[in-house]
């Protein structure tokens, strides 16, 4: 893993390093403006909108380990997305004996001082012992950990991220409701930046 690497190759490396992973899930959805981007006076219904597959009627796609490592199927799906839609990865992965583990994933908050946010996030994830990469997502940053965690550890991870005040609190609430995390891995007109690695945390990766 290296600075400048795009999200597709980051996911491929995480899967390749975690040999227990047998399958992952992705879904296609249409992103909407977040709370910061919405005009004042939006209804509570809009504020409670969640981008999970159940609420958006998103199409869930299961991918085998080899297809993710080669990135062929991911790229094929992205190339054939309808305008305005994006592909997102879900944190849940299937391992041996049909057990479910998680890839630690987090959406950082939007802040005016992006350099300070990045520096603080590097310190936080390093201090808590999470190895991985922080990717620039355009408006802010995404974090991906390289070590799989179980459900209880995932809930703890979400809790620590919330306490840090560096991460998007609404994002954390949505993911806890869903029971898994998700982050986009492609771009569209509303979200025009393909996430790429801005910083690496921990060694070796």
């Amino acid at each position: 893993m290296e600075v400048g690497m795009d999200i597709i190759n980051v996911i491929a490396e995480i899967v390749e390093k975690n040999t227990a992973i047998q399958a992952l899930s992705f879904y296609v959805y249409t992103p909407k403006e977040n709370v910061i981007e919405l005009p004042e006076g939006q209804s509570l219904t809009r504020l409670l909108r969640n981008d999970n597959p159940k609420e958006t009627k998103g199409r869930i796609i299961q991918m085998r380990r080899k297809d993710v490592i080669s990135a062929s199927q991911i790229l094929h799906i992205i190339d054939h997305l309808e305008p305005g839609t994006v592909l997102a990865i879900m944190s849940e992965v299937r391992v041996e004996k049909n057990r479910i583990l998680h890839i630690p994933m987090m959406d950082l908050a939007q802040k005016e001082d992006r350099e300070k946010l990045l520096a603080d996030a590097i310190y936080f994830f390093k201090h808590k012992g999470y190895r991985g990469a922080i990717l620039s997502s355009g408006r802010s940053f995404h974090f991906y950990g390289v070590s799989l965690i179980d459900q209880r550890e995932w809930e703890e991870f979400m809790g620590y991220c919330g306490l840090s005040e560096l991460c998007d609190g609404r994002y954390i609430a949505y993911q806890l409701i869903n029971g898994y995390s998700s982050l986009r891995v492609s771009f569209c007109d509303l979200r025009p930046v393909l996430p790429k690695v801005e910083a690496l945390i921990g060694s070796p990766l």
Side-chain angles (χ1 to χ4, degrees):
M1 206 175 292
E2 58 188 21
V3 172
M5 179 180 286
D6 67 53
I7 180 57
I8 306 301
N9 285 297
V10 168
I11 293 170
E13 282 212 15
I14 291 174
V15 174
E16 188 170 20
K17 291 177 184 298
N18 289 279
T19 56
I21 294 177
Q22 296 181 343
L24 296 85
S25 295
F26 296 76
Y27 71 95
V28 177
Y29 75 101
T30 303
K32 305 294 183 182
E33 296 89 348
N34 62 27
V35 172
I36 294 176
E37 296 166 326
L38 289 173
E40 292 185 8
Q42 293 296 315
S43 69
L44 183 60
T45 301
R46 261 318 274 289
L47 296 177
L48 293 177
R49 180 192 52 78
N50 191 344
D51 281 334
N52 74 45
K54 291 181 181 178
E55 293 199 17
T56 62
K57 297 182 180 179
R59 177 166 57 99
I60 296 180
I61 303 165
Q62 301 284 334
M63 290 192 200
R64 296 172 297 177
R65 172 187 180 82
K66 66 177 184 178
D67 293 325
V68 176
I69 292 176
S70 70
S72 58
Q73 189 173 347
I74 299 177
L75 293 173
H76 176 77
I77 291 169
I78 291 174
D79 285 344
H80 291 82
L81 288 174
E82 294 183 4
T85 63
V86 295
L87 185 69
I89 183 173
M90 300 163 69
S91 66
E92 290 182 327
V93 299
R94 181 165 55 82
V95 298
E96 295 98 334
K97 299 180 180 178
N98 283 322
R99 292 176 59 233
I100 298 297
L101 296 177
H102 291 266
I103 299 171
M105 295 160 44
M106 182 52 58
D107 186 21
L108 274 66
Q110 289 181 243
K111 297 191 177 184
E112 289 187 9
D113 192 340
R114 293 181 82 251
E115 289 188 9
K116 185 177 187 304
L117 173 60
L118 178 60
D120 289 345
I122 291 171
Y123 173 82
F124 165 72
F125 288 115
K126 186 175 182 180
H127 176 71
K128 297 306 299 180
Y130 296 114
R131 296 185 305 117
I134 296 179
L135 288 75
S136 176
S137 61
R139 299 168 302 145
S140 186
F141 301 97
H142 294 167
F143 170 78
Y144 283 82
V146 297
S147 300
L148 302 181
I149 54 179
D150 62 24
Q151 186 69 27
R152 179 68 189 91
E153 291 169 327
W154 176 79
E155 292 169 359
E156 183 180 83
F157 169 75
M158 302 300 285
Y160 280 130
C161 287
L163 290 172
S164 75
E165 298 187 350
L166 298 171
C167 305
D168 186 335
R170 293 179 62 81
Y171 173 85
I172 292 172
Y174 286 146
Q175 311 316 298
L176 289 172
I177 291 170
N178 297 341
Y180 58 83
S181 304
S182 62
L183 289 172
R184 67 178 178 86
V185 298
S186 66
F187 60 89
C188 65
D189 288 344
L190 183 63
R191 298 287 178 256
V193 176
L194 181 68
K196 293 185 178 182
V197 175
E198 191 81 13
L200 301 174
I201 301 170
S203 180
L205 289 183

